[in-house]
Amino acid sequence: MSDLTLYAQTFPSRLLLGTAAYPSPDILRGAVDAAKPAMITVSLRRAGAVREADGWEFWQLLQAMGRPILPNTAGCLSVQEAVATAHMAREVFETEWIKLELIGDDSTLQPDVFQLVEAAGILIRDGFKVLPYCTEDLIACRRLLDAGCEALMPWAAPIGTGLGVVHEYALRVLRERLPDTPLIIDAGLGLPSQAAQVMEWGYDGVLINTAVARSGDPVNMSVSFSQAVDSGRRAYLSAPVAACAQARASTPTVGQPFWHSSGYTE
């Protein structure tokens, strides 16, 4: 199975894992060690830019896990705030990667796609490898590509809801119309079967946080998602049969002694 390629860098896994809301640091580390994700996401606010006592311990934990870090701009509401947070994250985590989040609604946590495009353009020019958290809107996604983004992270449903895919048609159209763009489903998935589903449609990866961190057994759930992502990708590469409304016999009829066009005879 092919590796995930983002901004000319390859990763052996197609699962990305968040680091927030786990019951304990040990469980977080266990989930990461078990799933072996391509990257782990972390908020600058969570790690603590000043590296005070608890922030410093969390930073040490991130380093000990040995996975590539994808900082995010969670909680940012303006272009200026998102850009400033991204620059601070680059200094703290020593990486050009940034998951760009710019929220436009407090209730749904829906991305503000207008400000998102502006912020993405600024960060691309500043040398960042931007992974924008966006909606499934095709036109907004095209604008992000025009701004210089080489990969996109559309949501399946609002953050933390576990609803699974809310707008199947839009996500399928997005995959069809942007065949050469790496697309990673970010937010809203609640079950491994939902991750397998979007991978079967041809999506390139999945980012999971709440569905793992708040489950009854985060370590086991992280493995379940990892296996589901792999299984969905394998199914996609295997060219699944097309669905059809008409029944089709799977066993041959040639050579059966009592077969007639109208059916079986006694």
Side-chain angles (χ1 to χ4, degrees):
M1 189 170 60
S2 60
D3 294 336
L4 173 64
T5 301
L6 303 170
Y7 288 93
Q9 183 172 337
T10 59
F11 301 88
S13 172
R14 291 176 177 270
L15 174 69
L16 287 72
L17 201 60
T19 59
Y22 285 81
S24 72
D26 286 341
I27 292 177
L28 165 59
R29 181 167 185 170
V32 171
D33 288 345
K36 297 178 175 57
M39 289 189 276
I40 54 176
T41 65
V42 59
S43 169
L44 179 65
R45 291 171 173 82
R46 175 66 180 86
V50 294
R51 296 183 180 176
E52 296 175 350
D54 59 344
W56 175 243
E57 292 174 0
F58 185 65
W59 172 240
Q60 288 181 311
L61 175 62
L62 294 177
Q63 290 180 308
M65 288 189 288
R67 311 306 300 181
I69 294 176
L70 175 63
N72 65 48
T73 61
C76 291
L77 303 176
S78 69
V79 172
Q80 294 76 12
E81 186 181 9
V83 170
T85 301
H87 277 272
M88 287 190 288
R90 180 160 63 181
E91 294 183 13
V92 171
F93 298 111
E94 299 178 345
T95 179
E96 304 292 332
W97 292 91
I98 193 73
K99 178 190 169 188
L100 178 60
E101 296 185 34
L102 221 166
I103 302 303
D105 182 77
D106 290 337
S107 177
T108 63
L109 300 180
Q110 181 169 333
D112 183 332
V113 295
F114 301 100
Q115 292 197 92
L116 192 64
V117 171
E118 181 181 351
I122 294 171
L123 292 175
I124 290 291
R125 291 191 295 273
D126 289 344
F128 284 88
K129 298 175 181 177
V130 179
L131 298 177
Y133 164 60
C134 57
T135 67
E136 72 279 16
D137 183 271
L138 174 62
I139 307 307
C141 288
R142 282 175 169 168
R143 296 294 177 267
L144 287 165
L145 296 178
D146 291 341
C149 296
E150 296 183 15
L152 305 174
M153 303 183 79
W155 68 352
I159 295 173
T161 61
L163 290 172
V165 175
V166 173
H167 298 127
E168 176 179 341
Y169 173 78
L171 283 177
R172 283 179 171 271
V173 168
L174 185 65
R175 177 68 288 176
E176 178 183 343
R177 298 300 296 276
L178 302 178
D180 301 321
T181 300
L183 299 176
I184 299 172
I185 292 294
D186 177 14
L189 299 181
L191 294 170
S193 58
Q194 296 164 355
Q197 180 184 53
V198 296
M199 295 300 292
E200 289 170 3
W201 296 344
Y203 276 80
D204 298 280
V206 166
L207 193 158
I208 298 293
N209 191 166
T210 303
V212 169
R214 296 192 183 279
S215 69
D217 186 347
V219 175
N220 194 41
M221 188 62 80
S222 72
V223 175
S224 297
F225 268 100
S226 178
Q227 292 175 344
V229 168
D230 285 346
S231 179
R233 180 65 179 177
R234 290 180 185 276
Y236 169 72
L237 295 176
S238 299
V241 297
C244 66
Q246 179 65 43
R248 293 181 295 184
S250 59
T251 54
T253 59
V254 175
Q256 292 184 352
F258 303 111
W259 176 261
H260 297 276
S261 60
S262 59
Y264 287 100
T265 61
E266 297 181 357

